[in-house]
């Protein structure tokens, strides 16, 4: 059960080579960087791959540098530890730095990559189990069945987007570089982070054979402060039970722009537009933030598919949102 | 109990080595004395034998130097509930003090400090004994706050791996300050009692008591989860008003 199934490993040095290797058999050839998500899933029989295309040897995917427009480009193979340790990221994009540091444990951040975190498979306590365990209930939507074990009435998979960096990247307005082969032609599209995840936790919106090559961060808005807060039982290692990223700009005692993104409570990101709009033009105060947090969290409908009850996750998410906004208003996360 | 059995096995090994030394240096076994790393005979500078030499000789005489020892604990003084679990000539005692920080909004509890006193009889190896106390107190902390063992109606464990069954990692544990309390037990080997998991038990009530001291409500279930604590704050907090 915990033995890694055999798979061929190839290490292309160019994006094009990687795409060609994936295109040979898009369903069975999978890109891999640190392997911290894919390899355990393969051991549990949750993922299969005849060929692993290791993208860490592609120089373009290891780039981490300032872009011409004042923004930043982060290659998909950049390790989360290196991302968090980069002074330019910590200074200009604190939410991303905080989110990268909140992923897993030090060992996982040393192996895990930005692209891997963006493409993390959704998680559920009925899914991330051994084959023997899953056999007791039979297959669910995510394992080829026709039901959801967490919510039997549900018509789709509700497994949770458990990555920490996507909410932060969304708060920062990041765009994901997705590269595909169209015939012989290599095409790159820029996808806003919010659009990367669908309603259904079963499938990814990324087309088969596509490769996430990096993330572009726009130049930071002066005075726009960002941060990320995460709920988990062990601050040393666990996946999020809920997470929130926010951005806040206060000018002359009034909020001029705000963004609140919830993660870890649905198969996709939740962009709390109304909650953010409720802050605009108002004076930052405990009451305004409590109100915004309550509007934001009303959009989240976590279900009992992680080990902590949904109601507790929802409640803590509201507390974290309120506190994060207050922290940003107080001047942290500049 | 195991300590007394070990002691007897060690005494039997010593007996075999002493006999080997006595034959090597040609003296009665009673004259062979032990020192660090070997054996000697009082008044005879030519009769020093290292441990390795003695072991080689003993092996020559009777094969590998392997001895066993056994120990039978005394009868129970009385028949009481729990008495049959582990009859022992002596029991250890412990007292822990926990300092916690409670987040009343989220119900999260963080242990800031854990001082663990353990009456172990005699500390034969104090450093190892301190490590045992720290390890046991850490197990207690995990039981108190994190580790949840639930079997669902399909007979499957809810937490079937160590990502779901949350054992505290080194980063989740505060500095556990061990205090070894020696009491020289008359029945234990060299006066020792135990330093196994005895130091686990006091952590649980110490942490629950510290939470009560901090926020004034009792949680009577383990692990002491955020949702349980919030529920207690709501219900017991209302009752007080």
């Amino acid at each position: 059960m915990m033995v890694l199934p055999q798979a061929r490993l190839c290490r292309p040095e160019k994006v094009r080579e990687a795409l060609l290797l994936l295109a040979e058999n898009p369903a069975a050839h999978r890109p891999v960087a640190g392997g911290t998500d894919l390899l355990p899933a393969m051991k549990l029989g949750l993922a299969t791959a005849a060929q692993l295309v290791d993208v860490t040897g592609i120089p373009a995917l290891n780039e981490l540098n300032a872009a011409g427009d004042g923004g930043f480009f982060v290659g998909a193979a950049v390790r989360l530890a290196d991302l968090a340790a980069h002074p330019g990221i910590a200074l200009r994009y604190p939410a991303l730095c905080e989110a990268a540091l909140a992923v897993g444990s030090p060992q996982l951040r040393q192996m895990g990559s930005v692209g891997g975190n963006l493409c993390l498979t959704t998680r559920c306590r009925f899914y991330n189990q051994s084959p023997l365990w899953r056999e007791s209930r039979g297959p669910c939507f995510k394992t080829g069945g026709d039901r959801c074990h967490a919510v039997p009435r549900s018509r789709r998979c509700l497994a949770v987007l458990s990555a920490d960096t996507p909410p932060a990247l969304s708060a920062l307005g990041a765009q994901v570089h997705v590269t595909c082969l169209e015939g012989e032609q290599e095409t790159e599209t820029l996808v806003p982070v919010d659009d990367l995840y669908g309603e259904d936790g079963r499938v990814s919106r990324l087309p088969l054979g596509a490769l996430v090559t990096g993330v572009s961060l726009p130049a930071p808005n002066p005075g726009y402060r960002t941060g990320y807060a995460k709920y988990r039982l062990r601050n040393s290692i666990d996946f999020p039970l809920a997470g929130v990223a926010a951005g806040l700009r206060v000018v002359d005692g009034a909020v001029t722009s705000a963004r609140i993104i919830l993660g870890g409570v649905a198969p996709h990101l939740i962009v709390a537009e109304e909650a953010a709009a409720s802050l605009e033009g108002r004076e930052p105060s405990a009451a305004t933030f409590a109100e915004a947090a309550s509007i934001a969290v009303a959009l989240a409908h976590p279900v009992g598919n992680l080990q902590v009850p949904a109601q507790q996750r929802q409640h803590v998410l509201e507390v974290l949102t309120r506190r994060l906004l207050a922290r940003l208003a107080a001047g942290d996360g500049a | 109990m195991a300590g007394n059995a070990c002691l007897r096995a060690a005494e039997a090994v010593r007996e075999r080595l002493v006999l080997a030394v006595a034959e090597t240096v040609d003296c009665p076994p009673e004259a062979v004395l032990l020192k660090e790393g070997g054996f000697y005979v009082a008044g005879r500078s030519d009769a020093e034998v290292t441990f390795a030499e003695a072991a080689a000789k003993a092996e020559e005489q009777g094969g590998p130097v392997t001895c066993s020892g056994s120990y039978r604990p005394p009868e129970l003084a009385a028949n009481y509930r729990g008495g049959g679990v582990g009859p022992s000539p002596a029991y250890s005692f412990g007292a822990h003090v926990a300092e916690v920080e409670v987040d009343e909004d989220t119900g999260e509890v963080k242990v800031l400090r854990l001082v663990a006193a353990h009456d172990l009889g005699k500390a034969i190896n104090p450093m190892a004994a301190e490590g045992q106390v720290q390890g046991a107190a850490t197990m207690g902390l995990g039981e108190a706050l994190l580790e949840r063992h639930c079997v669902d109606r399909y007979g499957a464990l809810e937490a079937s791996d160590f990502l779901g069954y949350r054992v505290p990692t080194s980063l989740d544990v505060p500095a556990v300050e061990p205090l070894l309390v020696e009491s020289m037990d008359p029945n234990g080997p060299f006066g020792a009692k135990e330093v196994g998991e005895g130091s686990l038990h006091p952590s649980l009530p110490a942490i629950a008591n510290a939470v009560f001291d901090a926020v004034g409500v009792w949680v009577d279930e383990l692990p002491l989860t955020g949702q349980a604590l919030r529920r207690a704050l709501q219900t017991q907090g209302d009752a007080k008003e």
Side-chain angles (χ1 to χ4, degrees):
Chain A
M1 173 182 90
M2 288 307 283
V3 176
L4 186 64
Q6 277 210 339
R8 255 189 337 251
L9 178 73
C10 43
R11 307 201 64 196
E13 286 170 8
K14 291 197 172 78
V15 171
R16 190 176 174 76
E17 284 170 34
L19 289 170
L20 286 167
L21 286 164
L22 293 171
E24 285 171 9
N25 186 351
H29 293 186
R30 305 198 53 175
V32 67
T36 54
D37 187 40
L38 181 59
L39 302 192
M42 286 172 70
K43 289 181 182 178
L44 286 173
L46 296 170
T48 52
Q51 178 161 284
L52 294 172
V53 181
D54 177 358
V55 298
T56 56
I58 304 174
L61 267 63
N62 286 298
E63 278 178 28
L64 173 56
N65 35 38
D69 59 356
F72 238 84
F73 176 80
V74 184
V78 169
R79 297 182 307 173
L80 293 162
D82 293 335
L83 177 70
H86 193 284
I89 297 292
L91 190 71
R92 295 147 61 113
Y93 309 104
L96 182 56
C97 181
E98 288 169 17
L101 282 176
V103 176
S105 64
Q107 291 92 329
L108 292 165
R109 294 193 292 274
Q110 283 294 335
M111 291 299 291
S113 67
V114 174
N117 199 242
L118 276 167
C119 299
L120 194 82
T121 321
T122 54
R123 300 184 62 87
C124 170
R125 70 184 168 98
F126 299 100
Y127 171 73
N128 297 96
Q129 298 285 359
S130 69
L132 194 66
W133 197 102
R134 283 181 273 126
E135 205 183 291
S136 68
R137 280 184 166 75
C140 66
F141 285 126
K142 209 167 158 63
T143 49
D146 60 358
R147 71 196 68 179
C148 170
H149 294 313
V151 183
R153 282 169 301 128
S154 178
R155 297 231 178 97
R156 58 186 167 88
C157 173
L158 298 170
V160 178
L161 172 61
S162 302
D164 291 298
T165 60
L169 287 165
S170 172
L172 293 163
Q175 306 241 52
V176 181
H177 296 247
V178 180
T179 313
C180 299
L181 272 189
E182 278 178 22
E184 284 293 290
Q185 198 65 35
E186 206 177 298
T187 58
E188 188 184 76
T189 35
L190 279 178
V191 182
V193 180
D194 312 345
D195 297 343
L196 214 53
Y197 311 101
E199 293 282 317
D200 192 323
R202 186 172 61 91
V203 285
S204 159
R205 273 205 183 162
L206 285 170
L208 273 181
L211 186 65
V212 169
T213 49
V215 181
S216 276
L217 292 156
N221 256 332
Y224 182 69
R225 302 182 186 130
T226 65
Y228 177 71
K230 172 176 181 174
Y231 177 39
R232 52 177 165 176
L233 296 188
R234 290 176 301 180
N235 280 325
S236 58
I237 188 162
D238 293 327
F239 282 104
L241 296 162
V244 55
L248 193 72
R249 186 164 181 251
V250 182
V251 177
D252 299 329
V255 175
T256 58
S257 70
R259 203 163 154 78
I260 300 170
I261 317 291
L262 310 178
V265 282
H268 48 86
L269 291 176
I270 295 172
V271 183
E273 280 170 4
E274 205 185 313
S278 81
L279 290 170
E280 278 169 31
R282 292 176 69 185
E283 193 186 326
S285 72
T288 4
F289 293 148
E291 189 189 317
S294 129
I295 300 172
V297 171
L299 298 172
H301 304 286
V303 298
N305 54 2
L306 302 182
Q307 283 187 332
V308 167
Q311 194 267 343
Q312 168 74 359
R313 286 162 58 206
Q314 175 114 0
H315 172 82
V316 174
L317 184 58
E318 186 170 341
V319 175
L320 291 183
T321 306
R322 166 159 62 78
R323 286 181 185 170
L324 176 60
L325 292 169
R327 169 159 77 86
L328 297 177
D332 194 17
Chain B
M1 280 199 291
N4 277 326
C6 276
L7 180 60
R8 290 185 187 170
E11 282 166 353
V13 168
R14 184 182 67 188
E15 189 58 29
R16 274 196 59 190
L17 293 174
V18 163
L19 287 172
V21 172
E23 196 182 303
T24 309
V25 303
D26 193 20
C27 74
E30 310 82 77
V32 177
L33 301 169
L34 277 76
K35 64 170 185 170
E36 176 88 36
F39 303 83
Y40 68 104
V41 176
R44 275 184 59 185
S45 59
D46 65 320
E48 293 218 355
V49 179
T50 67
F51 178 81
E53 288 163 350
K57 181 72 182 173
E59 243 181 40
E60 219 173 83
Q61 289 175 332
V65 189
T66 310
C67 299
S68 62
S70 66
Y71 173 76
R72 196 187 155 83
E75 291 296 317
L76 285 179
N79 188 14
Y80 54 89
R81 189 179 154 83
V85 172
S88 173
Y91 292 91
S92 63
F93 296 90
H96 290 194
V97 179
E99 190 180 330
V100 303
E101 191 176 271
V102 179
D103 186 325
E104 286 177 273
D105 287 341
T106 64
E108 289 169 296
V109 174
K110 191 175 175 192
V111 178
L112 303 175
R113 199 177 162 204
L114 200 51
V115 182
H118 186 65
D119 160 20
L120 76 175
K122 161 82 181 166
I124 295 170
N125 180 339
M127 191 173 79
E130 285 185 350
Q132 283 293 114
V133 172
Q134 287 171 323
T138 301
M139 282 173 74
L141 184 147
E143 269 190 54
L145 297 178
L146 292 165
E147 295 167 41
R148 195 157 164 272
H149 205 68
C150 275
V151 179
D152 65 20
R153 64 199 166 94
Y154 294 86
L157 279 172
E158 262 187 28
S160 60
D161 58 21
F162 283 111
L163 192 58
Y165 187 80
R166 296 182 171 87
V167 173
T169 75
S170 55
L171 293 174
D172 302 300
V173 181
V176 179
E177 299 160 50
L179 292 174
L180 300 182
V181 179
E182 296 193 311
S183 54
M184 304 306 289
D185 191 82
N187 298 310
F190 305 107
K193 295 201 286 196
E194 71 86 36
V195 60
E197 292 180 7
S199 228
L200 184 162
H201 312 294
S203 310
L204 285 66
I207 291 168
N209 276 345
V211 169
F212 175 75
D213 187 45
V215 292
V217 298
W218 287 111
V219 178
D220 56 4
E221 60 184 88
L222 289 175
L224 203 161
T225 59
Q227 56 272 23
L229 183 54
R230 285 209 304 120
R231 207 163 46 234
L233 282 165
Q234 273 159 15
T235 53
Q236 297 177 36
D238 291 346
K240 272 191 294 187
E241 276 161 20

